[in-house]
Coordinates of all heavy atoms in Angstrom, one line a residue:
V1 N 105.7 80.7 109.0 CA 104.3 80.7 109.3 C 104.0 79.6 110.3 O 104.3 78.4 109.9 CB 103.4 80.7 108.1 CG1 102.0 80.6 108.5 CG2 103.7 81.8 107.2
E2 N 103.4 79.9 111.4 CA 103.1 78.8 112.3 C 101.9 78.0 111.7 O 101.0 78.6 111.3 CB 102.7 79.4 113.7 CG 103.9 80.0 114.4 CD 103.4 80.5 115.8 OE1 102.7 79.7 116.5 OE2 103.7 81.6 116.1
D3 N 102.0 76.7 111.8 CA 101.0 75.9 111.1 C 99.6 76.1 111.7 O 98.6 76.0 111.0 CB 101.4 74.4 111.3 CG 100.7 73.6 110.2 OD1 100.8 73.9 109.0 OD2 100.0 72.6 110.6
R4 N 99.5 76.3 113.0 CA 98.2 76.5 113.6 C 97.4 77.7 113.1 O 96.2 77.8 113.1 CB 98.2 76.5 115.1 CG 99.0 77.7 115.6 CD 99.1 77.6 117.1 NE 100.0 78.6 117.6 CZ 99.6 79.9 117.9 NH1 98.3 80.2 117.6 NH2 100.4 80.8 118.3
L5 N 98.2 78.6 112.5 CA 97.6 79.9 112.0 C 97.2 79.8 110.6 O 96.6 80.7 110.0 CB 98.6 81.0 112.2 CG 99.0 81.4 113.7 CD1 100.1 82.4 113.7 CD2 97.8 81.9 114.4
R6 N 97.6 78.7 110.0 CA 97.4 78.6 108.5 C 96.1 77.8 108.2 O 96.0 76.7 108.5 CB 98.6 77.9 107.9 CG 98.5 77.7 106.4 CD 99.8 77.2 105.8 NE 100.1 75.9 106.2 CZ 99.7 74.8 105.6 NH1 99.0 74.9 104.5 NH2 100.1 73.6 106.0
P7 N 95.2 78.4 107.4 CA 94.1 77.7 106.9 C 94.7 76.6 105.9 O 95.6 76.9 105.2 CB 93.3 78.7 106.1 CG 93.7 80.0 106.7 CD 95.1 79.9 107.1
K8 N 94.1 75.4 106.0 CA 94.8 74.3 105.3 C 94.8 74.4 103.8 O 95.6 73.8 103.2 CB 94.1 73.0 105.7 CG 94.2 72.6 107.2 CD 95.6 72.4 107.6 CE 95.7 72.1 109.1 NZ 97.1 72.4 109.7
H9 N 93.9 75.1 103.3 CA 93.8 75.1 101.8 C 94.7 76.2 101.2 O 94.7 76.4 100.0 CB 92.4 75.4 101.4 CG 91.8 76.6 101.9 ND1 91.5 76.8 103.2 CD2 91.4 77.8 101.2 CE1 91.0 78.1 103.4 NE2 90.9 78.6 102.2
L10 N 95.4 76.9 102.0 CA 96.2 78.0 101.5 C 97.7 77.6 101.5 O 98.3 77.3 102.5 CB 96.1 79.3 102.4 CG 94.7 79.9 102.5 CD1 94.7 81.0 103.4 CD2 94.2 80.3 101.1
E11 N 98.2 77.6 100.3 CA 99.6 77.2 100.2 C 100.5 78.2 99.4 O 101.6 78.4 99.7 CB 99.8 75.8 99.5 CG 99.3 74.7 100.3 CD 99.5 73.3 99.7 OE1 100.2 73.3 98.6 OE2 99.0 72.3 100.2
T12 N 99.9 78.8 98.4 CA 100.7 79.7 97.6 C 100.2 81.2 97.8 O 99.1 81.4 98.4 CB 100.5 79.4 96.1 OG1 99.2 79.6 95.7 CG2 100.9 77.9 95.9
L13 N 101.0 82.1 97.3 CA 100.6 83.5 97.4 C 99.3 83.7 96.6 O 98.5 84.5 97.0 CB 101.7 84.3 96.8 CG 103.0 84.3 97.6 CD1 104.1 85.1 96.8 CD2 102.8 84.9 98.9
A14 N 99.1 83.0 95.5 CA 97.9 83.2 94.7 C 96.7 82.7 95.5 O 95.6 83.3 95.5 CB 97.9 82.4 93.4
D15 N 96.8 81.6 96.3 CA 95.8 81.1 97.1 C 95.4 82.2 98.1 O 94.2 82.5 98.4 CB 96.2 79.9 97.9 CG 96.4 78.7 97.0 OD1 95.8 78.7 95.9 OD2 97.0 77.7 97.5
L16 N 96.4 82.8 98.8 CA 96.1 83.8 99.8 C 95.3 85.0 99.2 O 94.3 85.5 99.7 CB 97.4 84.4 100.3 CG 98.2 83.6 101.4 CD1 99.4 84.4 101.8 CD2 97.3 83.4 102.6
K17 N 95.8 85.4 98.0 CA 95.2 86.6 97.4 C 93.7 86.3 97.0 O 92.8 87.1 97.3 CB 96.0 87.0 96.2 CG 95.6 88.3 95.5 CD 96.5 88.7 94.4 CE 95.9 89.7 93.5 NZ 95.8 91.0 94.1
S18 N 93.5 85.1 96.4 CA 92.1 84.8 95.9 C 91.2 84.6 97.1 O 90.0 84.8 97.0 CB 92.1 83.6 95.0 OG 92.6 82.5 95.6
A19 N 91.7 84.1 98.2 CA 90.9 83.9 99.4 C 90.7 85.1 100.2 O 90.0 85.1 101.2 CB 91.5 82.8 100.2
G20 N 91.4 86.2 99.8 CA 91.2 87.5 100.6 C 92.0 87.5 101.9 O 91.6 88.3 102.8
Y21 N 93.0 86.7 102.0 CA 93.9 86.7 103.2 C 95.0 87.7 103.0 O 95.4 88.0 101.9 CB 94.4 85.3 103.5 CG 93.4 84.5 104.2 CD1 92.4 83.9 103.5 CD2 93.6 84.2 105.6 CE1 91.5 83.1 104.2 CE2 92.7 83.5 106.2 CZ 91.6 82.9 105.5 OH 90.7 82.1 106.2
R22 N 95.6 88.1 104.1 CA 96.8 88.9 104.1 C 97.9 88.3 104.9 O 97.6 87.6 105.8 CB 96.4 90.3 104.6 CG 95.4 91.1 103.9 CD 95.4 92.5 104.3 NE 96.6 93.1 103.9 CZ 96.7 94.1 103.0 NH1 95.6 94.7 102.5 NH2 97.9 94.7 102.7
L23 N 99.1 88.7 104.5 CA 100.2 88.3 105.3 C 100.6 89.5 106.2 O 100.7 90.6 105.7 CB 101.4 87.9 104.5 CG 101.4 86.5 103.8 CD1 102.6 86.3 103.0 CD2 101.3 85.4 104.9
Y24 N 100.9 89.2 107.4 CA 101.4 90.3 108.3 C 102.8 89.9 108.9 O 103.0 88.7 109.2 CB 100.5 90.5 109.5 CG 99.2 91.3 109.2 CD1 98.2 90.6 108.6 CD2 99.2 92.7 109.3 CE1 97.0 91.4 108.2 CE2 98.1 93.4 109.0 CZ 97.0 92.7 108.4 OH 95.9 93.4 108.1
G25 N 103.7 90.8 108.9 CA 105.0 90.6 109.5 C 105.1 91.2 110.8 O 104.7 92.4 111.0
Y26 N 105.6 90.5 111.8 CA 105.8 91.0 113.1 C 107.2 91.0 113.5 O 107.9 90.0 113.4 CB 105.0 90.2 114.2 CG 103.5 90.3 114.1 CD1 102.8 89.4 113.2 CD2 102.8 91.3 114.7 CE1 101.4 89.5 113.1 CE2 101.5 91.4 114.6 CZ 100.8 90.5 113.8 OH 99.4 90.7 113.6
C27 N 107.8 92.1 113.8 CA 109.2 92.2 114.2 C 109.4 92.0 115.7 O 108.5 92.2 116.5 CB 109.7 93.6 113.8 SG 111.5 93.8 114.1
Y28 N 110.6 91.7 116.0 CA 111.0 91.5 117.4 C 110.9 92.8 118.2 O 110.7 92.8 119.4 CB 112.4 91.0 117.6 CG 112.5 89.6 116.8 CD1 113.4 89.6 115.7 CD2 111.9 88.5 117.2 CE1 113.5 88.4 115.0 CE2 112.0 87.3 116.6 CZ 112.8 87.3 115.4 OH 112.9 86.1 114.8
C29 N 110.9 93.9 117.5 CA 110.8 95.2 118.2 C 109.4 95.6 118.5 O 109.2 96.6 119.1 CB 111.5 96.3 117.3 SG 110.5 96.9 115.9
G30 N 108.4 94.8 118.1 CA 107.0 95.1 118.4 C 106.3 95.7 117.2 O 105.1 95.8 117.3
H31 N 107.0 96.1 116.2 CA 106.3 96.6 115.0 C 105.7 95.6 114.2 O 106.3 94.5 114.0 CB 107.4 97.4 114.2 CG 106.8 98.0 113.0 ND1 106.0 99.1 113.0 CD2 107.0 97.7 111.7 CE1 105.7 99.5 111.8 NE2 106.3 98.6 110.9
S32 N 104.5 95.8 113.7 CA 103.9 94.9 112.7 C 103.5 95.7 111.5 O 103.1 96.8 111.5 CB 102.7 94.2 113.3 OG 101.7 95.1 113.6
Q33 N 103.5 95.0 110.4 CA 103.1 95.6 109.1 C 102.4 94.6 108.2 O 102.8 93.4 108.2 CB 104.3 96.3 108.4 CG 105.4 95.3 108.1 CD 106.7 96.1 107.7 OE1 107.5 96.5 108.6 NE2 107.0 96.3 106.5
S34 N 101.4 95.0 107.4 CA 100.9 94.1 106.5 C 101.8 94.1 105.2 O 102.4 95.1 104.9 CB 99.4 94.6 106.1 OG 99.5 95.8 105.4
L35 N 101.8 92.9 104.6 CA 102.7 92.8 103.5 C 101.9 92.8 102.2 O 100.8 92.2 102.1 CB 103.4 91.4 103.6 CG 104.1 91.2 104.9 CD1 104.7 89.8 105.0 CD2 105.2 92.2 105.1
D36 N 102.4 93.5 101.2 CA 101.6 93.7 100.0 C 101.8 92.4 99.1 O 102.8 92.1 98.6 CB 102.2 94.9 99.2 CG 101.3 95.3 98.1 OD1 100.7 94.4 97.5 OD2 101.3 96.5 97.8
L37 N 100.7 91.7 99.0 CA 100.7 90.4 98.3 C 101.1 90.6 96.8 O 101.8 89.8 96.2 CB 99.3 89.7 98.3 CG 99.0 89.0 99.6 CD1 97.6 88.4 99.5 CD2 100.0 87.9 99.9
D38 N 100.7 91.7 96.2 CA 101.0 92.0 94.8 C 102.5 92.1 94.6 O 103.1 91.7 93.7 CB 100.3 93.2 94.3 CG 98.8 93.0 94.2 OD1 98.4 91.9 93.8 OD2 98.0 93.9 94.4
V39 N 103.1 92.8 95.6 CA 104.6 93.0 95.6 C 105.3 91.6 95.7 O 106.2 91.3 95.0 CB 105.0 93.9 96.6 CG1 106.6 93.9 96.8 CG2 104.6 95.3 96.3
L40 N 104.8 90.8 96.7 CA 105.4 89.5 96.9 C 105.2 88.6 95.7 O 106.1 87.8 95.3 CB 104.7 88.8 98.1 CG 105.1 89.5 99.5 CD1 104.3 88.8 100.6 CD2 106.5 89.5 99.7
I41 N 104.0 88.6 95.0 CA 103.8 87.8 93.8 C 104.7 88.2 92.7 O 105.3 87.4 92.0 CB 102.3 87.9 93.4 CG1 101.4 87.1 94.4 CG2 102.1 87.4 92.0 CD1 99.9 87.3 94.2
K42 N 104.9 89.5 92.6 CA 105.8 90.0 91.5 C 107.2 89.6 91.8 O 108.0 89.3 90.9 CB 105.7 91.6 91.5 CG 106.2 92.2 90.2 CD 106.0 93.7 90.2 CE 104.5 94.0 90.0 NZ 104.3 95.5 89.8
R43 N 107.5 89.5 93.0 CA 108.9 89.1 93.4 C 109.2 87.6 93.4 O 110.2 87.2 93.0 CB 109.1 89.7 94.8 CG 110.6 89.6 95.3 CD 110.7 90.5 96.5 NE 112.0 90.6 97.1 CZ 112.3 91.5 98.0 NH1 111.4 92.3 98.5 NH2 113.6 91.5 98.5
F44 N 108.2 86.9 93.9 CA 108.4 85.4 94.0 C 107.6 84.6 93.1 O 107.8 83.4 92.9 CB 108.1 85.0 95.5 CG 109.0 85.7 96.5 CD1 108.5 86.6 97.3 CD2 110.3 85.3 96.6 CE1 109.3 87.3 98.3 CE2 111.1 85.9 97.6 CZ 110.6 86.9 98.4
G45 N 106.5 85.1 92.5 CA 105.7 84.4 91.6 C 104.4 83.9 92.4 O 104.4 83.7 93.6
S46 N 103.3 83.8 91.6 CA 102.0 83.5 92.3 C 102.0 82.1 92.8 O 101.2 81.7 93.7 CB 100.9 83.8 91.3 OG 101.0 83.0 90.2
D47 N 102.8 81.2 92.3 CA 102.8 79.8 92.7 C 103.8 79.6 93.9 O 104.0 78.5 94.3 CB 103.3 78.9 91.6 CG 102.2 78.8 90.5 OD1 101.0 79.0 90.8 OD2 102.5 78.4 89.4
Y48 N 104.3 80.7 94.4 CA 105.2 80.6 95.5 C 104.6 80.0 96.8 O 103.6 80.6 97.2 CB 105.8 82.0 95.8 CG 106.8 82.1 96.8 CD1 108.1 81.7 96.6 CD2 106.5 82.5 98.1 CE1 109.1 81.8 97.6 CE2 107.4 82.6 99.1 CZ 108.7 82.3 98.8 OH 109.6 82.3 99.8
A49 N 105.1 78.9 97.3 CA 104.5 78.4 98.5 C 105.2 79.0 99.7 O 106.4 78.8 99.9 CB 104.7 76.9 98.5
F50 N 104.5 79.8 100.4 CA 105.1 80.6 101.5 C 105.4 79.8 102.7 O 106.0 80.3 103.7 CB 104.3 81.9 101.8 CG 102.9 81.5 102.2 CD1 102.6 81.4 103.5 CD2 101.9 81.3 101.3 CE1 101.3 81.1 103.9 CE2 100.6 81.0 101.7 CZ 100.3 80.9 103.0
I51 N 104.8 78.6 102.8 CA 104.9 77.9 104.0 C 106.3 77.4 104.3 O 106.8 76.7 103.4 CB 103.9 76.6 103.9 CG1 102.5 77.1 103.7 CG2 104.0 75.8 105.2 CD1 102.0 78.1 104.7
G52 N 106.8 77.7 105.4 CA 108.1 77.2 105.8 C 109.2 77.7 104.8 O 110.3 77.1 104.8
E53 N 108.9 78.8 104.1 CA 109.9 79.2 103.1 C 110.7 80.4 103.7 O 110.2 81.5 103.9 CB 109.1 79.7 101.9 CG 109.9 80.1 100.7 CD 111.1 79.2 100.4 OE1 112.1 79.5 100.9 OE2 111.0 78.3 99.5
K54 N 112.0 80.1 104.0 CA 112.8 81.1 104.7 C 113.2 82.3 103.8 O 113.5 83.3 104.3 CB 114.1 80.4 105.2 CG 113.8 79.3 106.2 CD 113.5 80.0 107.6 CE 113.6 78.9 108.7 NZ 112.5 78.0 108.6
R55 N 113.1 82.1 102.5 CA 113.5 83.2 101.6 C 112.6 84.4 101.8 O 113.1 85.5 101.7 CB 113.3 82.7 100.1 CG 114.6 82.3 99.5 CD 114.4 82.2 98.0 NE 113.3 81.4 97.6 CZ 112.7 81.3 96.4 NH1 113.2 82.0 95.4 NH2 111.7 80.6 96.2
T56 N 111.3 84.1 102.0 CA 110.4 85.2 102.2 C 110.8 86.0 103.4 O 110.8 87.3 103.4 CB 109.0 84.7 102.4 OG1 108.6 83.9 101.3 CG2 108.0 85.9 102.5
L57 N 111.1 85.3 104.5 CA 111.5 86.0 105.7 C 112.7 86.8 105.6 O 112.8 87.9 106.1 CB 111.7 84.9 106.9 CG 110.4 84.2 107.3 CD1 110.7 83.1 108.3 CD2 109.4 85.2 107.9
R58 N 113.7 86.2 104.9 CA 115.0 86.9 104.8 C 114.8 88.1 103.9 O 115.6 89.1 104.0 CB 116.0 86.0 104.1 CG 116.7 85.0 105.1 CD 118.0 84.6 104.7 NE 117.9 83.8 103.4 CZ 117.8 82.5 103.3 NH1 117.8 81.8 104.4 NH2 117.8 81.9 102.2
A59 N 113.8 88.2 103.0 CA 113.7 89.3 102.1 C 113.0 90.5 102.8 O 112.9 91.6 102.2 CB 112.9 88.9 100.9
L60 N 112.5 90.3 104.0 CA 111.7 91.3 104.6 C 112.5 92.0 105.7 O 113.3 91.4 106.5 CB 110.5 90.7 105.3 CG 109.5 90.0 104.4 CD1 108.5 89.2 105.2 CD2 108.9 90.9 103.4
R61 N 112.4 93.3 105.7 CA 113.1 94.2 106.6 C 112.1 95.1 107.3 O 111.3 95.7 106.7 CB 114.2 95.0 105.9 CG 115.1 95.7 106.8 CD 116.1 96.5 106.0 NE 117.1 95.7 105.4 CZ 118.2 95.2 106.0 NH1 118.4 95.4 107.2 NH2 119.0 94.4 105.3
C62 N 112.2 95.1 108.6 CA 111.3 96.0 109.4 C 111.5 97.4 109.1 O 112.7 97.9 109.0 CB 111.6 95.7 110.9 SG 110.6 96.8 112.0
S63 N 110.4 98.1 108.8 CA 110.6 99.5 108.5 C 110.8 100.4 109.7 O 111.1 101.6 109.5 CB 109.3 100.0 107.8 OG 108.2 99.9 108.6
T64 N 110.7 99.9 110.9 CA 111.0 100.6 112.1 C 112.4 100.5 112.5 O 113.1 101.5 112.7 CB 110.0 100.2 113.2 OG1 108.7 100.5 112.8 CG2 110.3 101.0 114.5
C65 N 112.9 99.3 112.7 CA 114.2 99.1 113.3 C 115.2 98.6 112.3 O 116.4 98.6 112.6 CB 114.1 98.2 114.5 SG 113.8 96.4 114.1
G66 N 114.8 98.1 111.1 CA 115.7 97.7 110.1 C 116.2 96.3 110.2 O 117.0 95.8 109.4
R67 N 115.7 95.5 111.2 CA 116.1 94.1 111.4 C 115.4 93.3 110.3 O 114.3 93.5 109.9 CB 115.8 93.6 112.8 CG 116.9 93.8 113.8 CD 116.6 93.2 115.1 NE 115.6 94.0 115.8 CZ 115.3 93.9 117.1 NH1 116.0 93.0 117.8 NH2 114.4 94.6 117.6
L68 N 116.1 92.2 110.0 CA 115.5 91.2 109.1 C 114.7 90.1 109.8 O 115.0 89.8 111.0 CB 116.6 90.6 108.2 CG 117.2 91.4 107.2 CD1 118.4 90.7 106.6 CD2 116.2 91.9 106.1
A69 N 113.8 89.5 109.1 CA 113.2 88.2 109.6 C 112.5 88.3 110.9 O 113.0 87.8 111.9 CB 114.2 87.1 109.6
G70 N 111.3 88.8 110.9 CA 110.4 88.7 112.1 C 109.6 87.4 111.9 O 110.0 86.4 111.4
Q71 N 108.4 87.5 112.4 CA 107.5 86.4 112.3 C 106.3 86.8 111.3 O 105.9 87.9 111.3 CB 106.9 86.0 113.7 CG 106.2 84.7 113.7 CD 105.7 84.4 115.1 OE1 105.4 85.3 115.9 NE2 105.6 83.1 115.4
I72 N 105.9 85.8 110.5 CA 104.9 86.0 109.5 C 103.6 85.3 110.0 O 103.7 84.1 110.3 CB 105.3 85.5 108.1 CG1 106.6 86.1 107.7 CG2 104.2 85.7 107.1 CD1 106.5 87.5 107.3
T73 N 102.5 86.0 109.9 CA 101.2 85.3 110.2 C 100.2 85.6 109.0 O 100.4 86.6 108.3 CB 100.6 85.8 111.5 OG1 100.4 87.2 111.4 CG2 101.5 85.4 112.7
V74 N 99.2 84.8 108.9 CA 98.2 84.9 107.9 C 96.9 85.3 108.6 O 96.5 84.7 109.6 CB 98.0 83.6 107.2 CG1 96.9 83.7 106.2 CG2 99.3 83.1 106.5
K75 N 96.2 86.3 108.0 CA 95.0 86.8 108.6 C 94.0 87.0 107.5 O 94.3 87.4 106.4 CB 95.2 88.1 109.4 CG 95.9 87.9 110.7 CD 95.9 89.3 111.4 CE 96.6 89.2 112.7 NZ 96.7 90.6 113.3
P76 N 92.7 86.8 107.8 CA 91.7 87.2 106.9 C 91.7 88.7 106.7 O 92.0 89.4 107.7 CB 90.4 86.7 107.5 CG 90.8 85.8 108.6 CD 92.1 86.2 109.0
R77 N 91.3 89.2 105.6 CA 91.3 90.6 105.4 C 90.3 91.3 106.3 O 89.2 90.8 106.4 CB 91.0 90.9 103.9 CG 91.1 92.3 103.6 CD 91.4 92.7 102.2 NE 91.4 91.6 101.2 CZ 92.2 91.6 100.2 NH1 93.1 92.5 100.0 NH2 92.1 90.6 99.3
Ligands
ZN1 ZN1 111.6 96.1 114.0

């Protein structure tokens, strides 16, 4: 996650969810998809700090081209 895109008070998946933000993944092929926070919380835990965390990126696969690890951004819902 690029730091300039991140609201300063958001650090964990639970923070994102309670603030009504969403994570979007952008692939190099141009495809973008919103990421299901509930699925991520179930997988990594609600205290998971997504900032600079490469595990999250590695766990994501583009549904269009199948490549791993695009770019993640945070957006208000
Ligand atoms: Zn792709």
Side-chain angles (χ1 to χ4, degrees):
V1 177
E2 290 182 49
D3 199 53
R4 65 185 172 81
L5 297 171
R6 177 173 67 92
K8 295 299 179 203
H9 59 292
L10 298 177
E11 289 185 7
T12 68
L13 294 176
D15 289 342
L16 279 184
K17 187 176 163 69
S18 63
Y21 278 77
R22 300 194 64 118
L23 282 178
Y24 284 83
Y26 292 90
C27 180
Y28 303 113
C29 75
H31 179 73
S32 66
Q33 61 195 81
S34 70
L35 308 174
D36 191 328
L37 282 178
D38 290 325
V39 169
L40 293 176
I41 286 172
K42 198 173 288 185
R43 191 164 180 171
F44 298 108
S46 58
D47 289 337
Y48 182 79
F50 58 91
I51 304 304
E53 185 43 274
K54 296 284 195 288
R55 259 192 312 167
T56 308
L57 293 175
R58 277 204 299 268
L60 300 172
R61 188 180 288 279
C62 176
S63 60
T64 298
C65 71
R67 270 184 287 196
L68 289 173
Q71 194 177 26
I72 303 287
T73 60
V74 178
K75 285 184 183 177
R77 183 156 9 215

